[in-house]
Amino acid sequence: MQRLVDEVAAEPACVVRLVEVTRVFMIQTNRGELPAFMTDDDDRFGPPTPEFTRLVRGLTAAEPVTMVCEQMTGAERRAAAGAAIETLVSQMRIAHQLGFDDSETLAQRCCGLALLLVEWWLGKTPMARQQFNETWNQHAFGHREAGLPYDGANALALLLGALLHHQACQDQPEDEDDLGPLVFTRVLPFLESPERAAAVLSEFVAPPLADAFNVPIKRYARGNPKFVAELCRYLRVVLAMHVKDCPYGLREIDHACTLAHRVAVLEQDERPYVAAPTSEEGLRVALPWVGVHEEEPAEDAPAARAAGHVWQINVDRVVLERWDVGTARLNEAISEDSSIGEPKYRPEVGLEALRCPPCGSHGPFLAEGSWGDPLTLHCRCGVTMMSPLDAQPDDLGRRLLKRLILCEEDPAYAARRMLASLDVFRERQQKARESRWYRGPDDGDVAVVEAVDRALDLDRSDLVAALTDALRPRLPWRHEGRELTLLLLQALNALSLPAVYDSPDGRHLTGAVRDLLTDMKEENARWAPTRAPVVDRLRSWQAGGGPQLWQDAWARTLEMAKLYFAGIRVGDGRVADGCAGLTLGQYLLAREGDCGVDQVTADDVRNLALPGDGQDPSAVMRRWAERLTAIGHDLDAVDDPVAQLWQHLATDKPTDTFGDQRAPALILGLDILVRSFRVRL
């Protein structure tokens, strides 16, 4: 061992790595903290030497410790390496006897909470996000050698997490699991003094798993006081807005917001606190109602409450389904514009969070009222939104209040509500598939299912994470989409609450969503050939082989198809069938006339194939069959590509969506080439 330690001491980088491994192992075995003897030269409760503690402090502060180690003498490096080995071995023995405690550490909790608050602020104030991103990019792109992460939210969360951790260690060193009494604004004195904040950040033992951005941020902050001052400035804004938006202070004055209830609101894992009512009269406005849709709840009033009970419910936000008249007018204008060859319409229905008309806030709100009464909704700005006092039973506010009451009494109601909507959707889907006009799932639904499928293994992966990745929710702002998109978004909104996700109804909803996605994935695969480009379908037929004249006919048809049908999908198959009939006609006439296919015109084929007035289509098909047989083809053969294509074109298909008449695919296909496209060879 002595010889090997000498070899390690000869390599400064090796000494640093050994100290780093020991430090990380100590963090894992000591609940995310470093014992005092690891960083304090005057602490005598452990074996480390001053050289070892110097390197540990440097690693914690993200200093260039390799350079520091190179400046040490060989004896100093040997002392550091020996202390690292002795500490590591002793901790491994302890870990072997007691095992690892993999529960969340105090540092992790503080950083996670700080990130929640920062992301809440960035999401709630788009202009502040834009301003902060501009500030961050000046550092990230102006000093690329620093290796700063692209997302500056991590820097804000790291500094705030360090300050919260410092406060927690000072206030509650004996019970680190209880962060409840901590007050956010207690860290303001540090934010007012960037030098003090920088010192706390330098000593903070950040979670090692986040070193990919912890180390560059700490290293850059150490030499850039302006950078730390800017982070402190933005964090002061975050905390100021947090106190302003705290739902506990909705009806209270000078409220000191603690971590406990703010975590509950940010993570949405507990019922919010209900503020006391007030007698003050503020501005009253009507609830928005134009285009808003809310189903009547299927469940009755909670039996545990007496008749006439008045509920007071704090809600983070109220999500509504609303038809947008502006989008509808835009779509109408697009449909009337003949210059647009391929119109793209926007979905007219979307989900959005209710906004307070005067201040524009999406919440939090305080809802008040009895079961069946009009809704009264208080905003933090002092405005009260109300349903009309003489509102009808189907009024939006009455139905919305019932939904809020049911969710307040049992959060799992949100899952039961979605189960009913999913059943209705699946019934409509099944009925549509049985209709004659059905031509497969809509392209928009296909795109959603494929996006979820890419993000989700339907047997194992987390459904909430997959839906979030696929849908990219825009709530509280408007999220438009087809019915399937909005259903999945509502299911995601419900399952995002742990109280719903972990309930039996939540698990039932998760299974129902998975079943729906699986069913639509299978339906998508069944109709996938109809979404293939027409040109690809023709190439697949050409690839079946056949005589040279047959290949020449296909080559000529493909040249025409590239000109007329580029970007057109197979769909009901008529266009592809028409092109196949055109190929078969060219081949037949060229064989009979002993000439090349280039001497056959499209009119020649149409005159041969399309029945005249009063002529039976079956007579046309018999004439084609006789002439194909006359040139040497067995139309029942399975190894002849000409016979195989004939068998396909001779199949009867519906002539229209709603009628019962049928005609051969050959005649229907060539007819659409004549009527709709007027193709020329």
Side-chain angles (χ1 to χ4, degrees):
M1 178 174 174
Q2 300 302 327
R3 178 179 58 81
L4 294 176
V5 171
D6 289 337
E7 293 183 11
V8 170
E11 298 290 342
C14 189
V15 174
V16 171
R17 180 51 61 95
L18 178 60
V19 173
E20 182 180 17
V21 170
T22 304
R23 175 182 173 274
V24 171
F25 195 84
M26 289 292 291
I27 293 174
Q28 292 178 331
T29 55
N30 287 272
R31 295 276 296 140
E33 305 291 342
L34 281 176
F37 67 80
M38 293 277 290
T39 56
D40 188 353
D41 293 335
D42 297 327
D43 192 289
R44 299 308 179 200
F45 291 98
T49 63
E51 295 80 9
F52 176 80
T53 55
R54 179 183 177 187
L55 294 179
V56 171
R57 288 195 299 269
L59 287 168
T60 302
E63 296 177 356
V65 289
T66 301
M67 185 183 303
V68 173
C69 195
E70 289 174 349
Q71 297 171 355
M72 289 181 174
T73 65
E76 289 174 332
R77 288 198 296 269
R78 192 183 188 287
I85 292 176
E86 184 177 352
T87 303
L88 180 61
V89 171
S90 64
Q91 288 299 309
M92 291 177 69
R93 288 173 178 162
I94 295 174
H96 178 69
Q97 294 174 357
L98 303 179
F100 280 105
D101 183 357
D102 58 357
S103 59
E104 191 176 34
T105 66
L106 178 61
Q108 288 175 320
R109 293 186 65 197
C110 290
C111 287
L113 181 62
L115 185 59
L116 274 175
L117 184 60
V118 169
E119 289 180 340
W120 166 82
W121 172 69
L122 292 173
K124 200 169 185 64
T125 53
M127 295 302 296
R129 174 192 286 273
Q130 180 180 352
Q131 183 181 5
F132 173 68
N133 287 342
E134 292 175 357
T135 301
W136 178 258
N137 290 337
Q138 292 176 2
H139 295 280
F141 294 106
H143 303 81
R144 293 178 182 272
E145 69 281 358
L148 294 173
Y150 179 77
D151 186 1
N154 293 324
L156 290 173
L158 177 62
L159 179 55
L160 182 56
L163 296 174
L164 291 174
H165 180 268
H166 178 76
Q167 179 187 341
C169 290
Q170 285 188 332
D171 292 357
Q172 305 167 9
E174 297 181 358
D175 187 8
E176 64 180 34
D177 290 329
D178 183 15
L179 293 179
L182 292 181
V183 179
F184 267 117
T185 51
R186 285 274 304 282
V187 302
L188 280 176
F190 291 90
L191 297 177
E192 297 290 347
S193 174
E195 295 80 9
R196 294 178 62 190
V200 172
L201 177 64
S202 176
E203 298 174 358
F204 176 51
V205 182
L209 293 177
D211 277 349
F213 59 83
N214 286 343
V215 172
I217 291 171
K218 280 190 172 186
R219 184 180 295 126
Y220 186 73
R222 187 179 60 253
N224 293 270
K226 180 182 177 182
F227 173 67
V228 179
E230 288 176 341
L231 294 183
C232 291
R233 176 169 62 88
Y234 279 107
L235 284 177
R236 289 197 298 271
V237 176
V238 173
L239 294 183
M241 184 171 181
H242 151 72
V243 174
K244 175 185 176 184
D245 263 346
C246 175
Y248 278 65
L250 190 63
R251 293 287 191 84
E252 299 175 8
I253 306 299
D254 298 329
H255 172 71
C257 189
T258 63
L259 295 181
H261 60 255
R262 196 55 188 172
V263 171
V265 173
L266 292 174
E267 295 182 343
Q268 298 181 347
D269 61 352
E270 293 181 9
R271 297 184 183 182
Y273 165 85
V274 177
T278 178
S279 59
E280 295 182 5
E281 291 292 337
L283 178 63
R284 295 175 180 267
V285 298
L287 278 170
W289 57 272
V290 176
V292 181
H293 175 72
E294 177 74 21
E295 292 285 350
E296 178 71 24
E299 299 184 14
D300 295 329
R305 300 291 186 177
H309 175 78
V310 178
W311 275 270
Q312 294 179 331
I313 307 169
N314 275 108
V315 290
D316 185 50
R317 65 186 182 193
V318 179
V319 178
L320 300 171
E321 181 180 300
R322 187 177 68 84
W323 172 78
D324 186 64
V325 64
T327 304
R329 289 173 178 169
L330 177 62
N331 289 339
E332 184 178 1
I334 292 174
S335 67
E336 295 176 352
D337 190 346
S338 59
S339 65
I340 302 177
E342 296 182 2
K344 294 183 179 179
Y345 302 105
R346 286 179 53 188
E348 298 177 5
V349 179
L351 293 179
E352 57 188 59
L354 176 66
R355 296 180 59 187
C356 174
C359 74
S361 171
H362 291 101
F365 301 119
L366 175 65
E368 290 183 319
S370 300
W371 181 269
D373 284 351
L375 172 65
T376 300
L377 205 61
H378 302 282
C379 178
R380 59 179 171 79
C381 70
V383 170
T384 299
M385 291 171 279
M386 300 183 64
S387 300
L389 296 178
D390 58 349
Q392 298 299 314
D394 60 351
D395 173 65
L396 165 69
R398 293 182 187 272
R399 291 181 172 182
L400 185 56
L401 179 58
K402 290 179 180 179
R403 191 226 299 180
L404 297 177
I405 290 173
L406 291 171
C407 288
E408 174 71 9
E409 293 299 308
D410 180 9
Y413 169 74
R416 297 195 295 275
R417 174 172 175 262
M418 284 308 306
L419 285 169
S421 300
L422 286 175
D423 289 341
V424 172
F425 177 79
R426 295 196 66 168
E427 289 176 3
R428 280 203 300 268
Q429 286 284 308
Q430 191 60 39
K431 186 176 181 180
R433 294 174 189 177
E434 297 171 355
S435 303
R436 294 178 57 85
W437 52 263
Y438 182 67
R439 294 293 181 268
D442 182 87
D443 289 348
D445 291 346
V446 169
V448 172
V449 172
E450 290 178 345
V452 177
D453 188 48
R454 285 192 297 269
L456 173 67
D457 181 332
L458 291 175
D459 295 326
R460 293 181 294 275
S461 296
D462 179 64
L463 179 64
V464 172
L467 290 176
T468 302
D469 184 64
L471 300 177
R472 301 187 181 279
R474 291 184 288 275
L475 293 174
W477 293 273
R478 183 175 177 82
H479 188 122
E480 298 174 341
R482 292 177 53 81
E483 184 180 10
L484 175 63
T485 301
L486 300 185
L487 275 176
L488 294 179
L489 187 62
Q490 288 175 310
L492 170 61
N493 201 40
L495 293 174
S496 298
L497 299 174
V500 178
Y501 184 84
D502 297 331
S503 68
D505 292 309
R507 291 190 289 271
H508 189 186
L509 175 60
T510 301
V513 172
R514 288 178 179 273
D515 291 342
L516 174 65
L517 292 172
T518 302
D519 175 69
M520 298 199 68
K521 179 183 175 183
E522 294 172 352
E523 183 71 4
N524 177 21
R526 187 165 72 91
W527 286 88
T530 66
R531 294 192 298 275
V534 168
V535 175
D536 289 355
R537 169 68 68 86
L538 302 182
R539 287 198 181 104
S540 68
W541 278 328
Q542 182 191 30
Q548 185 59 46
L549 194 62
W550 178 247
Q551 291 296 314
D552 293 344
W554 271 121
R556 193 177 183 211
T557 299
L558 278 168
E559 289 299 323
M560 177 275 299
K562 293 175 185 177
L563 178 63
Y564 285 93
F565 308 124
I568 294 182
R569 297 183 178 183
V570 172
D572 61 4
R574 291 196 183 189
V575 172
D577 292 343
C579 293
L582 197 58
T583 302
L584 186 62
Q586 293 180 77
Y587 170 73
L588 174 60
L589 293 174
R591 281 285 304 273
E592 290 179 338
D594 193 19
C595 61
V597 295
D598 57 337
Q599 299 182 32
V600 180
T601 68
D603 289 335
D604 294 335
V605 178
R606 287 195 288 267
N607 293 334
L608 173 68
L610 296 181
D613 294 338
Q615 189 175 4
D616 186 1
S618 61
V620 176
M621 300 303 293
R622 284 196 299 271
R623 185 168 67 248
W624 274 64
E626 292 169 356
R627 296 173 71 165
L628 287 170
T629 302
I631 62 175
H633 289 282
D634 179 5
L635 300 186
D636 295 325
V638 296
D639 56 351
D640 181 0
V642 178
Q644 290 176 350
L645 188 64
W646 168 255
Q647 294 163 15
H648 171 78
L649 294 175
T651 303
D652 286 343
K653 292 187 175 182
T655 59
D656 55 43
T657 300
F658 302 103
D660 294 328
Q661 295 182 352
R662 303 177 71 84
L666 171 67
I667 294 177
L668 293 176
L670 286 173
D671 180 66
I672 199 172
L673 294 191
V674 173
R675 286 187 300 101
S676 301
F677 296 98
R678 299 187 177 90
V679 299
R680 310 295 300 178
L681 287 172

